[in-house]
Amino acid sequence: MLVRVLAAIVAIVVVLIVASTAYHHWQTPRDKQAIEQENGPVHRYVDVDGHRMSVAIQGTGPRTIVLMPGLGTPEPILDFAPLARRLAEKNTVVTIENFGLGLSDETDSSRTSENIVSEIRTALEELDRSGPYVLMPHSISGLYATWWATNRPDEVSAVVGIDDERFIAQDGESEPAWPKWMSTVTSVGGIRDLITLDKRTDYLGLVADYNDSLGESQEYTQEQQDLYLRGYAWVLNPTMLDEAAREPENLRAIKGAKFPATMPTLSILASSSLEVEPEWESAHHATVTNPDIQQVIVLDGHHYLFHDNAAEIAEQTQTFLDRHLPAA
């Protein structure tokens, strides 16, 4: 009797996994197509090392601002849209979806800062955008922007970080946030199922955290929010998980790095991050070499600061660039 019960349970589990996998592989391209349509004419694909990278380009201003996403951001173009729209009033703005994020392909190339920067450079070349660039990284992309600015300073005119990461010793020895087997869960539709469950029960707290980051924002329609959350269904893929696993390596790659004294930098930090990581603010001050043109400020808000503060961040950025990096 017990054997029959166990066999029945196993059979049910197998059927559920097969059904979840089938639905996931059927629904994912439809979700991606809906995101493409929502992103509109600013969205395009460029070829980078034989893979398709998703980007958005808008505005015709003389400066090129490069928006660089945080780790595991499921749909960076939608995410940055309100900020990009404002910045594009006086600048050319390119939003990058790194491999493994959003609508971009996955890649086998290791997710080192050097490789990620090389891919972004190639994408910008494909868009006929020449440097030097204003780098605008969020979260983990602060590591890549710092590496870029200190290893290829001739290609970077300024860095404006949005709660972007800097070297913190203990993080350089930390374990990956997600185990590699999460990619298997993702491939069989497990993350999609968990998100659906979370919307109904707040079991994971993921949807609640996203709603908290939005604050009172009126910048995103309900459809945009739903599409953004759907992107979590495929973002825990091997490429993104490799990026997470290499975070300590990429942190160590910028240990002791300081920005050139002639490069304007503005770090806009979120108050919530200072509460979680006491060294967050001091780590940013540690990269400053010229306080006259390199500043660190704190805004009240969530790590995804631009969800609820796009207007203020755009204004702060424009004022800073006009003061320290006059357009040619």
Side-chain angles (χ1 to χ4, degrees):
M1 182 66 178
L2 180 59
V3 172
R4 289 182 180 178
V5 171
L6 291 175
I9 293 174
V10 170
I12 291 170
V13 170
V14 169
V15 169
L16 290 174
I17 291 174
V18 169
S20 175
T21 302
Y23 179 72
H24 176 64
H25 286 278
W26 179 85
Q27 185 62 37
T28 295
R30 287 161 176 77
D31 287 343
K32 290 185 175 182
Q33 184 177 36
I35 290 171
E36 283 182 340
Q37 293 174 349
E38 183 63 37
N39 285 336
V42 303
H43 175 254
R44 64 196 65 185
Y45 293 102
V46 292
D47 181 86
V48 176
D49 300 334
H51 299 282
R52 196 170 70 159
M53 179 175 281
S54 171
V55 300
I57 181 168
Q58 55 202 114
T60 58
R63 304 186 192 92
T64 298
I65 297 177
V66 183
L67 289 170
M68 303 164 64
L71 179 67
T73 299
E75 181 34 53
I77 293 173
L78 276 179
D79 206 35
F80 278 129
L83 177 61
R85 183 173 63 250
R86 287 178 169 85
L87 292 171
E89 293 174 5
K90 295 184 179 181
N91 309 276
T92 300
V93 180
V94 179
T95 303
I96 299 291
E97 296 194 332
N98 294 341
F99 286 135
L101 301 183
L103 302 178
S104 288
D105 288 347
E106 297 176 37
T107 180
D108 292 330
S109 175
S110 60
R111 301 292 79 205
T112 63
S113 292
E114 184 173 8
N115 285 345
I116 290 172
V117 168
S118 176
E119 291 159 0
I120 297 173
R121 293 172 68 241
T122 299
L124 292 167
E125 290 170 5
E126 290 291 314
L127 293 170
D128 293 323
R129 302 307 305 177
S130 57
Y133 311 105
V134 176
L135 305 183
M136 202 160 183
H138 172 241
S139 196
I140 200 172
S141 280
L143 306 183
Y144 316 142
T146 302
W147 188 94
W148 195 346
T150 53
N151 283 272
R152 295 179 176 273
D154 58 307
E155 298 179 0
V156 180
S157 57
V159 178
V160 179
I162 308 172
D163 212 31
D164 56 326
E165 195 166 352
R166 291 288 187 275
F167 176 78
I168 295 174
Q170 64 180 16
D171 292 342
E173 305 300 329
S174 61
E175 294 295 321
W178 297 285
K180 290 184 178 180
W181 53 259
M182 288 300 293
S183 64
T184 301
V185 177
T186 297
S187 68
V188 299
I191 303 301
R192 183 183 292 280
D193 297 336
L194 288 172
I195 292 170
T196 301
L197 177 65
D198 193 45
K199 285 182 178 180
R200 298 172 181 170
T201 66
D202 194 29
Y203 175 72
L204 300 174
L206 173 66
V207 176
D209 184 63
Y210 175 64
N211 289 332
D212 181 57
S213 78
L214 287 175
E216 300 299 323
S217 176
Q218 303 297 315
E219 301 280 2
Y220 303 88
T221 66
Q222 189 59 54
E223 174 67 11
Q224 288 172 329
Q225 293 178 49
D226 288 344
L227 289 172
Y228 179 89
L229 288 170
R230 284 186 223 172
Y232 278 113
W234 59 83
V235 78
L236 290 177
N237 53 67
T239 300
M240 197 285 286
L241 292 174
D242 184 59
E243 182 179 357
R246 291 183 187 275
E247 183 177 8
E249 174 186 345
N250 290 330
L251 274 160
R252 292 191 295 271
I254 63 163
K255 182 178 181 180
K258 294 182 180 294
F259 290 114
T262 56
M263 183 180 293
T265 67
L266 173 63
S267 297
I268 306 174
L269 307 184
S271 59
S272 63
S273 294
L274 273 62
E275 295 170 4
V276 173
E277 175 49 74
E279 295 181 46
W280 195 252
E281 185 173 4
S282 61
H284 288 76
H285 283 291
T287 61
V288 170
T289 56
N290 184 353
D292 290 337
I293 62 170
Q294 297 172 349
Q295 302 171 18
V296 179
I297 63 174
V298 179
L299 294 184
D300 185 34
H302 189 276
H303 178 54
Y304 277 79
L305 202 54
F306 48 89
H307 283 173
D308 197 31
N309 296 276
E312 184 172 1
I313 291 171
E315 182 179 357
Q316 292 266 16
T317 300
Q318 195 62 53
T319 298
F320 181 81
L321 294 178
D322 287 344
R323 180 180 302 135
H324 300 296
L325 193 69

